[in-house]
Every structure is written in structure tokens, then in C-alpha cells.
Amino acid sequence: MALRSVAETLHQLLADVPTWGTESRNLAQAQGAILAADVCAQIDVPPLDNSAMDGYALRLSDLSAGAPLRISQRIPAGANPCALQAGTAARIFTGASIPAGADTVVAQEDCELVGDTLAVNIAPRLGQHIRPRGQDIAEGQRILLKGHRLLAADLGLLASLGVGSVQVGCRLRVALMSTGDELREPGEMLAAGQIYNSNRPMLAALIASLGAEVIDLGIVADTPQATRDALARAAATADVVISSGGVSVGEEDHVKAQVEALGSLNLWKLAIKPGKPLAYGRVAEVPFFGLPGNPVSGFVTFCLLVRPYLLKMQGATQLQSPQWAARALFDWPRAGTRQEYLRARVTPGDAGMEVEIHPQQSSGALSSVSWCNALAVIPIGKTLSRGDSVDVIFLQDIS
């Protein structure tokens, strides 16, 4: 069977994403959610001309006349000032509204009070230190687009517009199950032949980072009935089911047969390293992913293939992460038959970004993922010499 490319597989997966509903969510619960409609400003930001400095608001023509300026009022932020009297200045603070009639603000360090009048020690410019109404955002301006994933700065922006709730894609419920009698949870004692379940907390965190609810089914025993029961329970309560391990054709791997009994399954061999096996199908019409059991393989295939699927399911339009060029600080003399994603660390250099790779690239070496901040992409049939340009994907963009 020919190996499928990462691009071909992702294209097919995204073409099969089911349509999803929307809901209204207040800002406190909207982190990571996907906008279901454009957001337009209902007000100007700032809503009024305001001062960018602590200082004095005045009319420049009064200052040019050379007459002393008396302090006629004090304007803290939040106050509603009176119109500026001719020939006077107003003590004003950062963020406070500019009084009608004033057209310039002079910073307090450029002024001094002489008796009860103001002395200005510079030649100010008309309009200086005034933030005009609508300078940041104009009423009616389209601010955020449908399909945008809301991050912390977006929530602050929406709050500045007085928006208390937004229409977003419904929160996904993702059931997560681990298979393998050899697995034990962290904190338990290990017997001979057993290992700790590292995939569960890693995948749960990746799923939760997308704003989804994780339904943790724990470790499923390696029996056909236990596997079938877990899959049926997952399909009844979740919108997507993800299994870690158990989709090969070994005698103790029961996921494949039970998914097929309850729905349908495609087993794909991908031209990707780490990784290669990926299962995708339906359990009672609920999308199902079977990820490799090796932790690095599970991490990479989730980030590159499952994550875009879950994002699109919630309505996102930005599904793939940018790749950046960096200068290789390593040699890669072996041309592979699969596209490789090397655990790498990118740092700034004298001539731009530089990238080194972890010395252990095994699919079981999870320490390499914790160490790295990027994946270096080595295309099929490609070799590299130190100093060559190589594309990298930053982990912060995919995890």
C-alpha cells in the first residue's frame, strides 16, 4: 500500500468535517472559542478626545498671545469637564476627556506653576498629546472576522467595545481513551512490563487548549467487550472520539474491529515520521481518530492532523500554522521516504533564526518534545547540510 502524504491526508480529513452548531458565550468563557459571526464596533474607541499625558489642556492660540494662563479646572479620568474658559488652562490627567475649547495638551514636566498661573517651558504643537475620538476604532468598523479564534487580546478588545457576549461555535466534547493493559496512571506502582500512561495527560491538555471539554474514559482493558463498551459510551456522550493506541492488527489490538462493528474505519499509513499509522472513521456517526501509541507519534499526528480538524469543526478558518525559514545548525545526510518532523529548538542568531535538533529523535522519546520549541520539517528525499535553510513550525502555533 502506498504511503499517503500529510497534505493529502489533511485535505481529505478537512473535507469530511461535519457541520457544527453555534452558541452565545460570555467573554469569561470565550477563550479559545471560534467566532461564528463578524464583530463590528458599536462605539468609537476612545469614545471622546482624551489626554495621553498628565499635564495641562489649553488653547494654543491663548498661549501664543503671551498672556498668563490661570488654572480654571481639574479634570481626572472619568470626569465630565466644563468647556475651557478663554485664557485659562485645565489640569488634566492621562485618559481624561479633553474639555471643549482646548486643542493641545502640554506634559506636566514641560510646565511649572508660578503663583496661580501656568508657565509653559516649550513651544507645543497644535493637538499634541491628544488622542482623538475613534483613533483606535471607529463606530461601524469590522473588528474581528467570523472564523477567528479568540485569544486573550481579542477578549480585551471586545470588552473595550462593550461587548459582553459573542456568538461562537459550540464547545466540543471530546472523549479520550487509552488502550493497553501495560499502562498505569502516574502515581501508581509499576509491575514488570508496565509503563506510565503519558499520552493521556498530554492529549487531554492539547484538546483542552482548543476550548473543548475532555471526557476522560481512562485506560480501557485489552478485551473486545471492554473496548466496544468504551467506544459505545464515548459515542453516546461525545462529539469526537480519540483513542491512543490499539489500532494495529495485533491480537491484543481490539479498537479496529470494534470501531468497524459500531461504524466505519479507515486505516491509513502516512508518509510521516514520527507517526505513520492513523485511523479515522465513525463510531455511530461520531468522528473517531485512532492515534499511534508512541507518545511523540501521538503528539505530532494530533498537532498536524487532528487539531486542524477540531478547529474547523468549531468554525475556524485559520487551520494550518505558518512555516518559517531558519538556518540549520545540524547535518541531515539521510534522505527519507517519509516527511520528517524533527524535534528542534529555534534561537536568534547573527543572521536570523537558527535551529538545532535534539539528539534523540525516537518516537518514544517524549523528553525531546518537552525540550523543543519547534518542529523542523524535512521533506521526502531531502538531505541537509549545516548552514542550509530549513522550514520550522513553532510549537506555540500547533499546541
Side-chain angles (χ1 to χ4, degrees):
M1 179 186 297
L3 299 180
R4 299 167 59 94
S5 71
V6 175
E8 175 191 2
T9 303
L10 182 60
H11 177 78
Q12 185 165 343
L13 286 173
L14 295 180
D16 199 45
V17 172
T19 55
W20 205 239
T22 65
E23 63 186 11
S24 179
R25 206 179 298 175
N26 65 48
L27 292 191
Q29 280 76 49
Q31 168 78 14
I34 310 299
L35 279 177
D38 294 348
V39 177
C40 295
Q42 301 300 309
I43 61 171
D44 291 320
V45 179
L48 295 168
D49 294 353
N50 71 87
S51 179
M53 304 285 285
D54 291 345
Y56 298 88
L58 48 84
R59 185 181 290 109
L60 189 61
S61 60
D62 286 343
L63 190 63
S64 301
L69 301 180
R70 179 177 56 84
I71 306 303
S72 59
Q73 60 179 306
R74 182 178 183 275
I75 312 172
N80 184 20
C82 300
L84 187 68
Q85 299 174 24
T88 71
R91 178 69 166 121
I92 197 166
F93 297 88
T94 302
S97 297
I98 302 296
D103 57 22
T104 301
V105 169
V106 182
Q108 61 186 13
E109 57 266 29
D110 295 323
C111 302
E112 59 181 303
L113 288 175
V114 180
D116 61 352
T117 61
L118 181 71
V120 177
N121 299 325
I122 66 167
R125 292 176 293 101
L126 179 67
Q128 74 174 26
H129 302 319
I130 292 178
R131 295 185 290 222
R133 174 177 179 168
Q135 179 187 55
D136 185 16
I137 300 168
E139 182 180 353
Q141 182 179 340
R142 190 164 58 172
I143 301 304
L144 295 172
L145 302 183
K146 175 181 178 180
H148 177 75
R149 184 169 177 239
L150 294 171
L151 300 179
D154 302 318
L155 301 182
L157 174 61
L158 291 169
S160 76
L161 295 169
V163 175
S165 62
V166 284
Q167 197 72 15
V168 297
C170 288
R171 189 186 306 275
L172 286 178
R173 297 165 298 169
V174 180
L176 178 62
M177 55 185 279
S178 302
T179 64
D181 286 342
E182 77 280 10
L183 297 178
R184 287 294 178 270
E185 296 296 0
E188 298 179 350
M189 293 295 293
L190 291 181
Q194 295 179 338
I195 59 173
Y196 287 121
N197 184 6
S198 58
N199 282 344
R200 173 176 168 268
M202 177 181 68
L203 292 173
L206 288 169
I207 293 166
S209 72
L210 301 176
E213 175 189 350
V214 179
I215 301 173
D216 189 354
L217 301 182
I219 299 172
V220 178
D222 275 334
T223 69
Q225 191 60 52
T227 304
R228 186 185 185 98
D229 290 346
L231 287 168
R233 187 166 69 254
T237 57
D239 307 309
V240 178
V241 180
I242 297 177
S243 170
S244 171
V247 291
S248 70
V249 292
E251 292 181 4
E252 299 299 320
D253 294 330
H254 304 292
V255 175
K256 177 180 183 294
Q258 298 309 316
V259 171
E260 290 176 328
L262 295 170
S264 60
L265 185 70
N266 294 310
L267 258 179
W268 294 328
K269 291 185 182 296
L270 308 184
I272 183 175
K273 186 177 181 180
K276 189 176 182 182
L278 177 72
Y280 171 70
R282 293 284 195 277
V283 177
E285 301 306 316
V286 175
F288 169 83
F289 285 92
L291 300 181
N294 281 325
V296 181
S297 299
F299 177 85
V300 170
T301 52
F302 179 93
C303 291
L304 297 180
L305 297 169
V306 182
R307 183 179 187 272
Y309 186 101
L310 298 181
L311 286 173
K312 184 176 180 182
M313 197 169 175
Q314 297 176 85
T317 52
Q318 181 61 46
L319 304 176
Q320 294 182 266
S321 301
Q323 295 189 16
W324 306 90
R327 188 171 71 88
L329 299 180
F330 61 93
D331 295 313
W332 194 256
R334 305 183 302 274
T337 59
R338 292 183 281 166
Q339 181 153 292
E340 303 203 38
Y341 294 86
L342 308 178
R343 275 78 74 202
R345 181 176 287 177
V346 178
T347 54
D350 294 337
M353 294 188 297
E354 297 177 338
V355 56
E356 59 182 317
I357 60 173
H358 194 275
Q360 178 54 267
Q361 294 292 324
S362 165
S363 60
L366 199 51
S367 61
S368 64
V369 179
S370 179
W371 170 88
C372 75
N373 64 5
L375 299 175
V377 184
I378 312 295
I380 295 171
K382 176 79 171 178
T383 61
L384 280 178
S385 296
R386 186 181 183 91
D388 288 347
S389 178
V390 60
D391 285 343
V392 297
I393 303 171
F394 285 102
L395 288 198
Q396 67 181 20
D397 292 331
I398 59 173
S399 63

